């Protein structure tokens, strides 16, 4: 007889007793979604429904897509991808003449599964044309307050961390956050145009006792410090808006008007969890192409693959007005509003686990 497993057996989500325990969270999810749809309607947004299948799933180095083979009536195949965000489709709609648009739909990201990650999840994404960057930040804050009101939660919670969505949010630049929590002067690793010096950043890390691998890029070191030293301190007690990202870390954002080293990009945190990522959107097609090519070259170097560029998007960008946009992880929002510990708990049907 084989030895008994020491790992406790977990009943499937479709077991009636498990579903009974999960159902209050799932119904709260529905209430939050309904309230957010009402908010969009009251703000005169048009809800749009972008297709999941795209020729390009997105062109960011560390985002990984699901690919499929679309076979036409002639029997010939074409590689298409499930989008990692509806962004490209929505920007084409803005170029076509829409001004306030929102989407609540599924997106797919490969190589992602854990307490806060799921290969298929729900994203809220919305855009305001000809409106200031702060307008979508205000939207984000209201989304968190809506979720708290719908669940009767005085505070958002994740594990042992709390955040009051009704308190005045903290607004913190990336430069100040690195100085405060890691003792790193990021500006000392950039020139006036935002070009970065990886060795300068590595030197500061070594001086502060932070490990530096044998091979590295500035972007890798930046991300490592952000994840290990900065993010755990954000959104504790109140919401944090981490603002003005270095231009090198904002491929889809326009540069800040007062400093070319940084861009109009923010991320919103509660309980140490990233909930939203927003931009003052870049509309310079030539500059966007250049950035995409750099991202894909780095992707090929790291992962041995690259995704095609969306030529329709690049052709549409010059028609797009100045726009601010944001993507918010709906499932994570539900988690924090209900106190759930894992993203699977807030999904009506989680994606099947890999067979062992």
């Amino acid at each position: 007889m084989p030895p008994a497993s020491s790992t406790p057996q977990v009943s499937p989500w479709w077991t009636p007793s498990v579903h009974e325990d999960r159902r209050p969270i799932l119904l709260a999810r529905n209430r939050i979604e309904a309230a957010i749809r009402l908010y969009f309607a009251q703000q005169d947004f048009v809800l749009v429904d972008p297709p999941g299948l795209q020729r390009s799933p997105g062109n960011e180095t560390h985002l990984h897509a699901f690919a499929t083979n679309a076979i036409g009536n002639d029997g010939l195949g074409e590689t298409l991808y499930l989008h990692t965000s509806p962004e490209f489709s929505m920007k084409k709609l803005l170029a076509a003449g829409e001004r306030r648009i929102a989407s609540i739909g599924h997106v797919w990201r490969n190589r992602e599964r854990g307490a806060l990650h799921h290969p298929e999840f729900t994203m809220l994404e919305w855009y305001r044309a000809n409106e200031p960057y702060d307008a979508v930040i205000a939207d984000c804050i209201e989304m968190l307050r809506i979720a708290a009101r719908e669940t009767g939660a005085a505070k958002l919670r994740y594990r042992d961390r709390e955040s009051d969505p009704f308190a005045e949010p903290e607004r913190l630049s990336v430069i100040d956050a690195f100085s405060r929590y890691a003792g790193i002067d990021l500006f000392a690793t950039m020139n006036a145009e935002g070009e970065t010096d990886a060795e300068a950043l590595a030197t500061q890390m070594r001086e502060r006792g932070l490990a530096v691998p044998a091979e590295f890029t500035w972007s890798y070191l930046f991300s490592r410090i952000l994840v290990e030293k900065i993010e755990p301190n954000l959104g504790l007690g109140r919401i944090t808006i981490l603002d003005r990202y270095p231009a090198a870390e904002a491929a889809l954002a326009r540069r800040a008007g007062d400093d070319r080293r940084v861009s109009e990009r923010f991320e919103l945190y509660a309980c140490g969890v990233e909930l939203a990522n927003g931009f003052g959107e870049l509309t310079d097609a030539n500059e966007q192409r250049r950035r995409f090519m750099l991202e894909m070259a780095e992707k090929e170097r790291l992962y041995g693959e690259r995704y095609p560029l969306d030529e329709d998007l690049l052709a549409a960008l010059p028609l797009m007005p100045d726009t601010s946009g944001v993507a918010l992880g709906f499932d994570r929002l539900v988690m924090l509003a209900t106190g759930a510990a894992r993203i699977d708990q807030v999904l009506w049907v989680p994606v099947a686990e890999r067979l062992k």
Side-chain angles (χ1 to χ4, degrees):
M1 178 181 294
S5 172
S6 60
T7 303
Q9 297 298 307
V10 178
S11 299
W13 62 264
W14 41 262
T15 304
S17 60
V18 174
H19 182 68
E20 183 179 3
D21 290 340
R22 282 169 22 95
R23 195 167 186 270
I25 291 177
L26 299 174
L27 294 179
R29 174 193 179 98
N30 285 11
R31 293 196 303 274
I32 295 169
E33 180 179 343
I36 287 174
R37 288 180 181 274
L38 178 60
Y39 173 81
F40 281 137
Q42 292 172 337
Q43 292 284 314
D44 295 324
F45 278 85
V46 175
L47 279 173
V48 299
D49 188 17
L53 283 173
Q54 300 287 334
R55 286 198 171 91
S56 175
N59 296 109
E60 296 179 54
T61 299
H62 302 293
L63 287 186
H64 303 278
F66 289 88
T68 190
N69 186 36
I71 300 174
N73 293 340
D74 56 6
L76 299 178
E78 175 188 15
T79 299
L80 293 179
Y81 301 89
L82 292 173
H83 64 188
T84 58
S85 160
E87 178 173 4
F88 290 0
S89 293
M90 295 181 77
K91 285 183 172 178
K92 293 171 195 174
L93 285 170
L94 291 163
E98 296 295 338
R99 290 299 173 260
R100 286 187 184 180
I101 54 174
S103 168
I104 304 175
H106 286 207
V107 297
W108 293 261
R109 295 186 180 180
N110 219 337
R111 300 195 187 198
E112 294 192 11
R113 189 152 199 165
L116 290 167
H117 296 87
H118 205 72
E120 181 177 357
F121 62 99
T122 299
M123 180 178 285
L124 307 180
E125 189 151 334
W126 67 97
Y127 294 85
R128 289 178 177 266
N130 301 314
E131 296 188 64
Y133 181 56
D134 287 350
V136 293
I137 293 178
D139 288 331
C140 286
I141 295 166
E142 185 57 26
M143 297 293 175
L144 272 62
R145 292 172 177 172
I146 286 171
R149 286 194 292 266
E150 290 300 319
T151 56
K155 294 184 179 180
L156 303 175
R157 290 182 173 82
Y158 180 64
R159 296 180 176 172
D160 61 346
R161 301 168 183 166
E162 294 184 342
S163 185
D164 183 351
F166 303 103
E168 182 68 22
E170 171 190 37
R171 191 155 180 174
L172 182 66
S173 74
V174 172
I175 302 302
D176 288 344
F178 270 64
S179 176
R180 179 185 301 178
Y181 297 120
I184 297 289
D185 180 359
L186 273 182
F187 275 156
T189 72
M190 307 177 207
N191 66 17
E193 287 297 307
E195 295 172 340
T196 58
D197 182 339
E199 186 54 45
L201 183 52
T203 297
Q204 288 195 56
M205 291 178 66
R206 295 187 191 103
E207 290 172 349
R208 286 151 186 79
L210 303 177
V212 177
E215 295 185 11
F216 55 83
T217 63
W218 188 93
S219 181
Y220 171 82
L221 297 178
F222 173 91
S223 297
R224 184 164 170 180
I225 298 167
L226 180 67
V227 170
E228 295 179 7
K229 297 294 183 179
I230 313 302
E231 288 186 335
N233 295 291
L234 303 180
L236 305 183
R238 58 176 176 158
I239 297 165
T240 298
I241 299 155
L242 188 65
D243 195 14
R244 292 170 68 88
Y245 265 70
E249 293 297 310
L252 292 153
R254 58 181 174 244
R255 303 264 184 142
D258 61 341
D259 191 336
R260 288 188 56 77
R261 294 172 296 180
V262 297
S263 291
E264 290 189 358
R265 177 188 175 191
F266 74 91
E267 289 190 321
L268 183 145
Y269 288 83
C271 310
V273 176
E274 179 213 334
L275 287 175
N277 186 20
F279 306 94
E281 304 292 345
L282 180 66
T283 56
D284 182 329
N286 291 331
E287 175 63 12
Q288 187 67 84
R289 180 185 295 276
R290 185 188 71 83
R291 296 186 193 182
F292 280 163
M293 294 296 287
L294 289 173
E295 292 278 326
M296 289 300 93
E298 181 67 359
K299 188 178 192 70
E300 188 163 44
R301 185 185 74 83
L302 291 174
Y303 304 110
E305 65 173 344
R306 62 196 303 151
Y307 301 140
L309 304 189
D310 187 330
E311 295 294 343
D312 281 348
L313 170 69
L314 294 170
L317 280 182
L319 301 176
M320 192 175 122
D322 286 344
T323 298
S324 298
V326 62
L328 185 149
F330 178 68
D331 309 291
R332 288 186 182 183
L333 177 59
V334 176
M335 285 179 66
L336 270 58
T338 60
R342 293 185 56 84
I343 195 169
D344 299 54
Q345 294 174 265
V346 305
L347 303 175
W348 277 94
V349 181
V351 173
E353 296 273 10
R354 182 166 61 185
L355 295 175
K356 298 178 181 180

